[in-house]
Amino acid sequence: MNRTAGKLSLLLLLTPFVLWIVLLVLLPHVQMLRISFQVRESWDSLDWGVTQYSNFFAESYYWRTFIRTGVMSLLTTALTLVIGFPIAWYIAKLARGRARGLLFLACLIPFWASELVRTYGWMILLRESGLFSSWLQALGWVDGPVEFLYNDVAVIVGLVYNALLFMVVPLVTTLDGLDDNLVEAGYDLGGNHWHVLRDIVVPWAMPGIVSGCIVVFMLTLGSYLTPTLMGGKDSAWFTQQIFTQFITRFNWEQGAALGVLLLVLSSLLVWLGLRLTGQNLRKVLG
Amino acid sequence: MIRSVPRSRVFNSLYLLYLLAFFIYLALPLLVTAVFAFNDSNFPSLPWQGFTVDWYFANAAESGNRTGLFHDQGLLSALWVSVLVAFWVTVISVALGCVNAVLFERIEFRGKEVLYLVMLLPLVIPGVILGVSILVFYSGLANEVSLRWGIELDLFRPGLPLVIGGQVAFITTLSTLIIAARLRKFDPQLEEAALNLGATPIVAWFTVTLPWLLPAIFGAAAMAFLMSFENFNTTVMLTGSDTPLTVALFNRLREGSTPVLNAVALLLMAVSALLAMATLRRSQ
């Protein structure tokens, strides 16, 4: 291929990519950032300022929800890792042949249903007239109906459930590549379960752990359905406030500022996670 | 903990118990949703009132007060909207994914590493933020144009074009990754052989490279369709008067749940399971 043809094909291939990323990702975010610094003085005059951001810090409801959402997302991520790791280990290292494929498939099945369907299933189980409440009454363990829904525990149960796949799949993939001999050598050299886990398995699985944690954290932080449907009046999620500003109150400037803050929080924590574990985004996601 | 490493019997049985509990936890919500789609009661809860297919076929106009899924105009039109959106999202994001994959796997150019990282960005942006930023940009643009020149750009108001745009924004990254992974395993010598045998680059691409990519393209298409169909976070911010199924179901759910929602849920599960099975079979 000669130079001009090479240039031309690069141009042809680059154009769709640039159109997509600029028109649908970069420009909208730049505009959101710009609007978040605009102050509407009257219907036709605008000024620049940080009013929206000072609102955020002045109004405790905003920043409390912000912190709560961050902390609960981290908790969900940690729980997902702890619950998913033994499962991934079993699928990658202990199961054989058909059982292995079937177990992996069983992990995938819930994710053929949408998040809405999964959350709905949990609501049928947990609510006052739900299955758990009925079973407990039938067993005679409680007298009246019990409400399991509309509290933080319910939200975490739902969020962990929704996130499990995104943790188990990368873990299985990385653990799969771990040579059994390394683990055996660890035991031969006198290590116990804990030593082997800490010095061999976890360092090997680190790319999978980080990738799983990042995806789960992002999904949880940005989720809207599960906290809204399963959380109570006091368990507000930050995305709900963004939604309220945009759709209900039509205060785009405030909504944009909250959106920027959520984006900053998620980017910061993802970056921190990558730095602390010495991974990079390309290795983890690409 | 490998098979050859001895473990205590107690540890083993505890591990198996944990495994069992885990899979029950996974299956339970879906199972109850499916079962209650056939409960002859107006609420999806116990006690069990007997088996019925009312929640699919009942017609309130003809008999009784129940409207089954197949007579529920609201749900049916939402279903249609979802199919329409998913179709366009699949077409656009898979086409873009193919082009991007070739760009990043086969062409060398300056700044490629940086652009690759930019390409991954939509994966680390929360869906709600992706939605609101597109809403702010395009609706703002439409307002501006309308204010200055009096031209109405309805295309940029909340509605299906924006929903499609919002979903394409992040689904394209996923389809690019799937197709690029397959292209990476392609042996360029095959293409060179075709060129040596007298094929033009375009003929070589369509007869050698494209068939090699087809499994990944089908996989990416199935993934794109499912992701689009299920998406809520981005969609809810951009939807206008035509609501896709997820948003319609969410609105219904907030009014109170009836077994017709279970019927929809079961249908969705069945269809996406079939689609997923078909892709798994193809890729094996």
Side-chain angles (χ1 to χ4, degrees), chain A residues 16-73:
Chain A
F17 168 78
V18 170
L19 284 179
W20 158 58
I21 210 82
V22 170
L23 288 181
L24 289 177
V25 183
L26 297 181
L27 273 182
H29 282 87
V30 170
Q31 177 69 359
M32 184 172 73
L33 186 67
R34 211 173 72 105
I35 280 216
S36 74
F37 286 105
Q38 276 178 359
V39 183
R40 196 165 279 282
E41 292 183 320
S42 66
W43 73 274
D44 63 344
S45 76
L46 288 170
D47 201 7
W48 300 98
V50 291
T51 313
Q52 275 84 238
Y53 292 94
S54 51
N55 285 347
F56 171 81
F57 289 105
E59 188 67 65
S60 73
Y61 186 59
Y62 285 145
W63 57 261
R64 274 175 202 274
T65 312
F66 189 68
I67 293 172
R68 228 181 79 89
T69 307
V71 170
M72 277 178 74
S73 299

Side-chain angles (χ1 to χ4, degrees), chain A residues 6 9-10 12-14 16-18 20-21 23-29 31-32 35 43 82-87 89-91 93-96 103-118 120-125 127 129-132 134-135 156-158 160-162 164 168 179-180 183-184 187 193 196-197 214 218-219 221-225 228-229 239 242-243 246-247 252 255-256 258-260 262-263 266-267 270 281-282 285-286, chain B residues 1-7 11 15-16 18-19 22-23 25-30 32-33 36 43-46 96 98-100 102-105 107-109 112-113 115-130 132-141 143 147 164-166 168-170 172-173 176-177 184 226 229-230 232-233 236-238 245-247 249-250 253-254 257-262 264-266 268-269 272-274 276-277 280:
Chain A
S9 60
L10 174 62
L12 277 177
L13 290 167
L14 206 55
F17 168 78
V18 170
W20 158 58
I21 210 82
L23 288 181
L24 289 177
V25 183
L26 297 181
L27 273 182
H29 282 87
Q31 177 69 359
M32 184 172 73
I35 280 216
W43 73 274
V82 171
I83 293 174
F85 199 89
I87 304 297
W89 179 261
Y90 193 90
I91 293 175
K93 288 286 160 219
L94 300 176
R96 269 275 161 255
L103 286 178
F104 195 61
L105 206 63
C107 285
L108 294 180
I109 286 172
F111 298 88
W112 294 347
S114 69
E115 188 188 351
L116 191 87
V117 173
R118 297 194 292 264
Y120 181 57
W122 277 108
M123 291 173 74
I124 294 180
L125 286 171
R127 69 169 156 232
S129 60
L131 248 59
F132 286 164
S134 305
W135 285 338
I156 298 261
V157 168
V160 168
Y161 186 84
N162 278 325
L164 270 169
V168 171
D179 191 341
D180 288 3
V183 179
E184 278 169 33
Y187 285 107
H193 289 332
V196 171
L197 187 70
I214 286 182
M218 292 297 312
L219 283 176
L221 193 71
S223 68
Y224 178 83
L225 273 175
T228 306
L229 291 174
T239 46
I242 298 177
F243 184 86
F246 271 97
I247 308 294
W252 284 13
L258 299 183
V260 169
L262 185 67
L263 197 57
S266 65
S267 320
V270 167
L281 193 65
R282 173 162 191 160
L285 291 178
Chain B
M1 285 204 275
I2 303 290
R3 275 172 305 281
S4 57
V5 175
R7 281 162 297 163
F11 183 85
Y15 203 168
L16 284 179
Y18 176 72
L19 226 63
F22 177 81
F23 284 105
Y25 167 71
L26 270 192
L28 205 54
L30 302 180
V32 295
T33 310
F36 280 114
F43 303 99
S45 57
L46 289 172
L96 277 170
C98 285
V99 177
N100 289 347
V102 175
L103 178 72
F104 286 111
E105 292 301 322
I107 311 263
E108 288 307 320
F109 56 95
K112 186 164 144 175
E113 276 302 301
L115 284 194
Y116 191 84
L117 282 178
V118 173
M119 196 269 298
L120 292 179
L121 274 186
L123 288 188
V124 287
I125 300 172
V128 170
I129 306 292
L130 215 51
V132 296
S133 68
I134 289 176
L135 176 74
V136 164
F137 182 63
Y138 287 101
S139 283
L141 203 66
N143 286 343
L147 212 65
I164 294 172
V168 164
F170 71 96
T172 299
T173 301
T176 302
L177 290 177
R184 206 169 299 151
L226 280 182
F229 211 89
E230 293 176 359
F232 181 84
N233 284 357
V236 72
M237 292 296 176
L238 299 171
L245 193 60
T246 43
V247 180
L249 281 179
F250 175 74
L253 202 50
R254 283 209 293 194
S257 56
T258 78
V260 76
L261 299 181
N262 295 59
V264 184
L266 181 59
L268 287 183
M269 282 192 256
S272 40
L274 282 177
M277 293 274 218
L280 280 182

